[in-house]
Amino acid sequence: MMKQLVFLMGIFYFQAACAQEFNENDTLRIDLDHDQVRDTVIFDRVKAEIRCRLSTQKFKNIKSLELAFEELHAGIRESGQGFTYFVPSMRSGYHADFQYNQAAKKIQLVAMDRYEFGPANNDGSGESSVDLLKNQYEGMWSYYDEELSKLIKIPVIKRKMVFPATYLDSFNDEIVYRYMEKCAAIYGEEKSKRTASVSEPDPHVVWTNYYPLSDKSDVVSIKHNPLTGKSTIYFLRQTVRGTQTIWKENIVINQPKSTVNEEDFNGDGTKDLLIFSTTGSRGSNEFYYLYLVNPNTKTLHKVRDFEKIVNPQYDKLHQVIVSYGYAGTNHYSIYKISADHTIRQIGESFEDKFDSDAGELNNRIEKLLKQK
């Protein structure tokens, strides 16, 4: 009786200690291994890993490989007979479900699902899931029909999809990315069945390809008509099944040839895509589109309203974007990129009465940042 009491007290103090180490929202206490004793699951944001401590394994650490999440709202939650690791973003996200495998005595990845809202017209929007125990995939997707100007729902897609058995101690986001690639291929195949058509090419249109990611199968392709300025940017992924359109959107490029600069505009060390759009004030003011490149998730995110900023430059020292506009009087404006990939001005614009003196500009920027 005394030994049981000491054992239970040990469990209590161990779990109490865990509660002090991590945010309550990042810690679950659930009976994963079905022995009527609560186990501990921790989402460690600092080490970027999930850790489990099972009572049947004397609460030793069982941890995932390093995770590549970047979203502040990523986390874990209890679900069914296990827990879910979730990574949401503004227009997409995914979940990974885990349960205890009694036979293997390990925590197993049993299912994944993902969702996409697509661009403004919701092309490529929908959701899918894969049951890893039954090897069954199900997707519900839609595409935007340009000719009909409407969103078309694709009938529910059911396929066999097989992944090797994956346990927590060998889990990272790589298997999720492989699932995303397979899912995108299935969507692209189903969409192409419904949209395949032949049309005469426009002789004035110029296509230019760029490769912002180390994997050359991911392509940014710009379709540009120099006569009208109307252009379309495509983010494409080349696979053994063909070329898939991850997303596309219409932009305006008012010059004979599309110009793309590769510069880091958010301080993460990765070169982003700065695409020239147009000019103002007799060519003194230039405007651009900005697409942030994330090599970890193999994604590009457009920064909303960036094309309204004149002559943008990234200030690495203060991690802000500095705009300088030529007009009757010349003005500076300071901006930051928000978590939802929207440009936000910091404070009010100010007139350049100091002949662009670097020291004075630094003082002005620091003053604005302190007022945030």
Side-chain angles (χ1 to χ4, degrees):
M1 182 68 181
M2 182 59 70
K3 288 183 178 180
Q4 291 178 340
L5 179 61
V6 171
F7 176 73
L8 291 173
M9 288 179 66
I11 292 173
F12 173 78
Y13 286 121
F14 179 83
Q15 293 181 336
C18 290
Q20 295 173 359
E21 292 176 10
F22 295 92
N23 184 297
E24 188 67 25
N25 293 331
D26 292 335
T27 304
L28 301 177
R29 295 175 187 82
I30 54 179
D31 180 13
L32 278 175
D33 47 13
H34 314 299
D35 64 347
Q36 299 183 348
V37 177
R38 290 196 302 176
D39 308 299
T40 302
V41 186
I42 296 170
F43 179 43
D44 189 329
R45 297 177 183 274
V46 176
K47 294 183 178 180
E49 66 185 22
I50 299 171
R51 291 204 298 278
C52 287
R53 296 163 179 168
L54 302 177
S55 58
T56 55
Q57 299 186 23
K58 300 181 179 179
F59 296 106
K60 70 177 182 180
N61 271 326
I62 305 167
K63 60 183 182 180
S64 69
L65 302 179
E66 185 176 351
L67 303 174
F69 75 94
E70 291 189 350
E71 303 298 332
L72 293 176
H73 300 295
I76 55 174
R77 61 170 176 250
E78 183 177 357
S79 60
Q81 297 183 351
F83 68 91
T84 295
Y85 165 55
F86 57 90
V87 182
S89 60
M90 287 301 297
R91 302 192 66 79
S92 63
Y94 60 85
H95 306 100
D97 298 332
F98 293 87
Q99 291 181 8
Y100 183 70
N101 183 319
Q102 292 279 13
K105 299 189 182 303
K106 301 180 78 172
I107 299 167
Q108 185 174 3
L109 177 67
V110 296
M112 294 182 287
D113 63 78
R114 61 183 292 257
Y115 62 89
E116 294 271 359
F117 295 127
N121 62 9
N122 297 125
D123 183 50
S125 59
E127 59 186 23
S128 72
S129 62
V130 57
D131 184 327
L132 299 176
L133 300 181
K134 297 180 180 179
N135 301 322
Q136 291 180 351
Y137 167 89
E138 185 171 299
M140 293 174 285
W141 299 101
S142 300
Y143 68 91
Y144 189 79
D145 190 304
E146 299 284 354
E147 294 184 1
L148 299 177
S149 297
K150 63 184 291 188
L151 196 65
I152 306 296
K153 284 188 176 182
I154 298 174
V156 176
I157 306 166
K158 294 186 178 182
R159 297 279 183 88
K160 183 177 182 180
M161 185 178 287
V162 180
F163 289 92
T166 302
Y167 301 97
L168 182 64
D169 56 7
S170 61
F171 171 80
N172 60 16
D173 301 86
E174 184 61 32
I175 188 171
V176 182
Y177 300 152
R178 294 204 305 271
Y179 160 51
M180 289 180 175
E181 290 174 359
K182 289 187 176 185
C183 182
I186 291 172
Y187 164 74
E189 180 184 332
E190 292 294 328
K191 178 182 176 181
S192 65
K193 291 178 183 178
R194 295 162 173 79
T195 60
S197 62
V198 178
S199 58
E200 289 294 324
D202 188 332
H204 303 295
V205 167
V206 178
W207 289 84
T208 310
N209 293 334
Y210 302 90
Y211 302 89
L213 298 166
S214 58
D215 186 348
K216 298 301 182 183
S217 63
D218 293 316
V219 186
V220 170
S221 189
I222 297 178
K223 175 185 176 184
H224 173 51
N225 188 326
L227 298 182
T228 65
K230 293 181 179 180
S231 305
T232 305
I233 178 171
Y234 298 80
F235 183 38
L236 308 172
R237 180 158 293 146
Q238 298 173 341
T239 71
V240 293
R241 296 192 178 187
T243 301
Q244 303 155 21
T245 301
I246 308 302
W247 55 255
K248 69 175 182 177
E249 68 173 0
N250 296 325
I251 58 176
V252 175
I253 300 177
N254 286 323
Q255 68 171 4
K257 184 180 178 181
S258 61
T259 300
V260 176
N261 298 324
E262 295 185 71
E263 302 177 35
D264 181 9
F265 257 80
N266 61 348
D268 64 356
T270 298
K271 291 182 178 181
D272 306 303
L273 295 187
L274 192 68
I275 302 176
F276 177 84
S277 175
T278 190
T279 62
S281 294
R282 298 181 181 179
S284 299
N285 293 330
E286 296 183 348
F287 299 85
Y288 296 82
Y289 299 97
L290 177 62
Y291 293 85
L292 299 180
V293 178
N294 188 326
N296 294 323
T297 57
K298 296 184 178 181
T299 55
L300 273 73
H301 288 286
K302 180 184 179 183
V303 177
R304 285 185 287 275
D305 297 329
F306 189 88
E307 64 273 17
K308 298 176 183 178
I309 297 177
V310 58
N311 298 321
Q313 289 188 332
Y314 184 69
D315 183 333
K316 188 175 181 180
L317 175 63
H318 301 98
Q319 295 185 322
V320 298
I321 295 167
V322 178
S323 166
Y324 190 84
Y326 295 94
T329 57
N330 301 334
H331 287 78
Y332 280 101
S333 300
I334 310 301
Y335 299 87
K336 270 185 171 291
I337 300 173
S338 65
D340 65 348
H341 304 109
T342 302
I343 200 72
R344 306 289 187 191
Q345 184 169 354
I346 303 172
E348 299 294 329
S349 302
F350 52 90
E351 187 177 346
D352 180 13
K353 295 181 178 181
F354 46 91
D355 295 327
S356 299
D357 178 78
E360 178 60 24
L361 178 58
N362 284 341
N363 291 337
R364 296 288 187 102
I365 293 174
E366 289 169 3
K367 184 177 179 180
L368 287 176
L369 291 174
K370 288 178 182 178
Q371 294 174 355
K372 281 183 62 181

